[in-house]
Amino acid sequence: MSKVMVVTSGKGGVGKTPSSAALGAALAQTGQNVVIVDFDVGLRNLDLVMGAERRVVYDLVNVVQGDAKLAQALIRDKRVDTLSLLPASQTRDKDALTEEGVKKVIDELREKFDWVICDSPAGIEKGAMLAMRYADLAVVVTNPEVSSVRDSDRIIGMLDSKTVRAENGEKFEKHLLLTRYSPARAARGEMLKVEDVLEILAIPLLGIVPESEEVLNASNVGCPVTLHNPVSAPARAYMEAARRLLGEKLDIATPTAERQGFIGRLFGRKAIA
Amino acid sequence: MALVVVPELPLAAWFEALDEQLHRAAGFFADRPVVANLSTVQEDETTDLAALLDALEERGMKLVAVEGTDAARLSGTRWERLTNLRQRLEDTRETVAGRVLAIPDDPPEPEPVSAPNSLLIDRPVRSGQSIIFEDGDVTVIGPVASGAEVIAGGSIHIYGTLRGRVIAGLKSGAEARIFCSKLSAEMVCIDGVYDTAEQWSETFNGRAVQIQLDQGGLKFSTLD
């Protein structure tokens, strides 16, 4: 049973695209057949983050408009062979997408893949609406700051009213992915606490990804962080989030800034061993 | 069971009474076989019995038979086919009286159920959503987010954190009140009198609060 999952946020710059790439790669690494669809027509980024920018021939708009077959536009990842990418068009804008066209593409992808991940553009306009329209579940990417939280709340309201599932009166699953969480700033009280965000948004938490240079580095070299540096803290957070999406029950630890001394590290390791 | 209808003279008055009866009991004759007893009206030689039967049929009666008259009076009309049940002319109004049935009125129309004058929302009101209910009170079970608004004709009850804006008393005016289990609102308004978050004391924030109009201003009081 394939799942269509939209990765959305309302606000820009919170980490939707790196999260789509990292979650998609993490799911694919567990053996699931995954495709990530870039819905940010006109401002495509996913191909860069995935390191596939030099392999793009056809894109989502070509497929929606019937100029290319789906198989021609899909790009198979070179590192994980169960991972594919459907890039957006950089030269067009969101008006090039139609509801019927998107539905047709999503239906076709559903047959081929276990997971169809729709990387939504920022905003609440047509592009974002179409990215969520046919989804079964959503990952709402939020930073622990008031503006991001309020925009996420707006998006959650739309997921509950503007998706096909919601319109049919079905339950729409929503998960919160808290990204760019800085333990140091949280300790100084400069950031919203995890509990505060959860209290405001009132949706289940999928994971907390710490703010890390690793995410930036991974994007710069065009590799999802879960592949680039699998042992880094953000990579582990994404991997665990992916396992939770697959139904595993794992506790979610809030990242801490506590710097361990030599003795602490020693004991820490001993405890694990 | 067939019903027996006994028209009386003068016919105009009788039809008026019949129409009145039919108005009150519209469905009474539907799908019921009717026997027309013409013993009373046939005494007047000038009565057009065929026209009378036509008039009964026009009122939705299913005539299955005619009694109390001479078959000859109907010969040559389309009613001739109806069996003349009784050839005896003596079968008169008096002899059928024992069979007269009181026609019950249609049951009175039920009182229209008035629309509920309250609205219950049992999910969070998200940022950007607007709940507008002009006919009465609004109750929300869940938080009202920053950037969301609830507008009610009457009072507003929020069982959750109120972070957005609420406008009460659109219809009920100064009587309306606002209740919330945790105040963190951007703006509250009753009957056009509003306060923004800066205008009320910080001490109310984070607490269960009641807000009402008092001497032209908003009065906040804690409930916990």
Side-chain angles (χ1 to χ4, degrees):
Chain A
M1 185 53 198
S2 71
K3 285 196 168 179
V4 178
M5 177 171 87
V6 61
V7 177
T8 187
S9 70
K11 191 170 161 31
V14 295
K16 280 182 298 298
T17 299
S19 293
S20 298
L23 281 177
L27 283 168
Q29 282 170 286
T30 68
Q32 299 276 309
N33 249 319
V34 180
V35 62
I36 314 177
V37 187
D38 191 349
F39 269 86
D40 206 347
V41 177
L43 291 169
R44 83 167 186 225
N45 286 150
L46 187 64
D47 55 329
L48 291 169
V49 171
M50 300 280 291
E53 71 276 14
R54 284 190 267 178
R55 300 167 62 201
V56 176
V57 183
Y58 293 108
D59 55 49
L60 178 63
V61 171
N62 295 139
V63 180
V64 164
Q65 296 188 337
D67 298 331
K69 290 213 175 68
L70 187 58
Q72 292 176 292
L74 285 172
I75 300 171
R76 171 85 57 91
D77 191 89
K78 282 183 171 164
R79 297 151 298 213
V80 186
D81 61 4
T82 53
L83 181 61
S84 297
L85 162 71
L86 182 57
S89 167
Q90 181 71 352
T91 54
R92 309 294 292 271
D93 61 37
K94 271 111 186 153
D95 291 330
L97 296 178
T98 62
E99 207 170 301
E100 305 75 53
V102 169
K103 180 180 190 312
K104 201 167 152 281
V105 172
I106 297 274
D107 284 346
E108 217 173 315
L109 289 171
R110 261 183 205 277
E111 283 170 24
K112 290 185 201 271
F113 296 94
D114 303 319
W115 291 85
V116 180
I117 299 178
C118 305
D119 181 23
S120 172
I124 53 171
E125 282 75 40
K126 193 177 177 188
M129 289 299 111
L130 285 174
M132 70 168 67
R133 183 78 184 139
Y134 300 99
D136 302 318
L137 73 160
V139 169
V140 179
V141 182
T142 305
N143 294 164
E145 349 160 338
V146 281
S147 55
S148 172
V149 170
R150 188 202 268 181
D151 290 0
S152 292
D153 197 66
R154 178 101 163 99
I155 278 291
I156 294 168
M158 295 187 140
L159 290 167
D160 280 336
S161 59
K162 303 273 202 264
T163 53
V164 171
R165 245 172 192 270
E167 282 176 7
N168 291 342
E170 290 171 73
K171 197 173 165 290
F172 192 91
E173 219 181 292
K174 301 165 292 277
H175 299 280
L176 176 67
L177 187 65
L178 208 54
T179 55
R180 308 191 65 176
Y181 182 85
S182 162
R185 292 188 61 210
R188 292 197 298 269
E190 293 169 358
M191 225 171 48
L192 280 179
K193 290 200 203 76
V194 176
E195 306 83 73
D196 294 342
V197 179
L198 284 174
E199 207 245 329
I200 294 173
L201 295 181
I203 59 171
L205 183 62
L206 182 67
I208 306 169
V209 181
E211 169 94 302
S212 165
E213 283 186 6
E214 291 293 341
V215 181
L216 214 60
N217 293 344
S219 288
N220 284 338
V221 298
C223 183
V225 69
T226 45
L227 296 174
H228 183 62
N229 186 357
V231 295
S232 65
R236 279 180 312 186
Y238 279 121
M239 302 263 221
E240 284 182 9
R243 283 164 64 192
R244 286 184 198 106
L245 282 175
L246 291 170
E248 270 190 65
K249 298 263 178 287
L250 300 168
D251 287 339
I252 299 175
T254 307
T256 52
E258 219 178 321
R259 201 169 273 163
Q260 289 182 315
F262 174 71
I263 301 292
R265 285 211 300 271
L266 204 65
F267 278 110
R269 276 189 197 146
K270 244 184 190 166
I272 294 163
Chain B
M1 185 188 74
L3 297 170
V4 180
V5 175
V6 189
E8 287 168 22
L9 293 168
L11 279 174
W14 186 81
F15 271 113
E16 200 176 308
L18 177 70
D19 287 338
E20 162 79 5
Q21 185 72 259
L22 285 174
H23 180 70
R24 282 185 288 143
F28 188 75
F29 288 102
D31 299 325
R32 291 209 198 192
V34 172
V35 176
N37 182 303
L38 304 178
S39 59
T40 316
V41 288
Q42 64 111 36
E43 288 160 14
D44 183 348
E45 295 291 328
T46 61
T47 308
D48 184 347
L49 294 182
L52 167 63
L53 294 171
D54 287 341
L56 289 175
E57 194 186 49
E58 267 171 35
R59 287 166 173 75
M61 292 189 194
K62 283 198 175 131
L63 294 172
V64 295
V66 175
E67 65 177 9
T69 185
D70 196 338
R73 291 278 302 262
L74 288 169
S75 69
T77 72
R78 66 190 185 98
W79 299 105
E80 195 180 7
R81 65 189 161 84
L82 292 188
T83 329
N84 199 331
L85 286 182
R86 312 281 168 94
Q87 295 300 325
R88 293 169 296 143
L89 290 176
E90 61 273 23
D91 197 358
T92 58
R93 177 94 171 81
E94 278 64 43
T95 57
V96 294
R99 292 180 273 157
V100 169
L101 199 72
I103 299 176
D105 289 354
D106 278 350
E109 293 260 318
E111 289 277 310
V113 181
S114 56
N117 54 359
S118 68
L119 176 70
L120 179 77
I121 310 276
D122 60 354
R123 55 181 166 77
V125 181
R126 302 286 182 185
S127 185
Q129 289 177 340
S130 186
I131 307 288
I132 303 172
F133 185 69
E134 287 186 34
D135 296 332
D137 294 5
V138 174
T139 305
V140 179
I141 318 285
V144 175
S146 161
E149 62 184 9
V150 178
I151 300 171
S155 298
I156 296 174
H157 311 257
I158 313 286
Y159 294 92
T161 309
L162 169 57
R163 299 190 181 85
R165 49 166 64 190
V166 286
I167 297 166
L170 230 56
K171 282 252 174 75
S172 69
E175 294 302 304
R177 296 188 187 191
I178 295 166
F179 305 87
C180 64
S181 45
K182 197 172 170 192
L183 181 71
S184 185
E186 292 163 346
M187 188 198 84
V188 296
C189 172
I190 299 174
D191 194 24
V193 180
Y194 65 88
D195 271 355
T196 53
E198 292 182 338
Q199 290 169 288
W200 62 76
S201 162
E202 270 288 322
T203 57
F204 292 113
N205 287 334
R207 301 185 64 179
V209 168
Q210 168 182 209
I211 305 159
Q212 64 200 99
L213 258 186
D214 185 39
Q215 294 170 356
L218 293 179
K219 188 179 117 190
F220 288 62
S221 48
T222 55
L223 293 168
D224 51 1

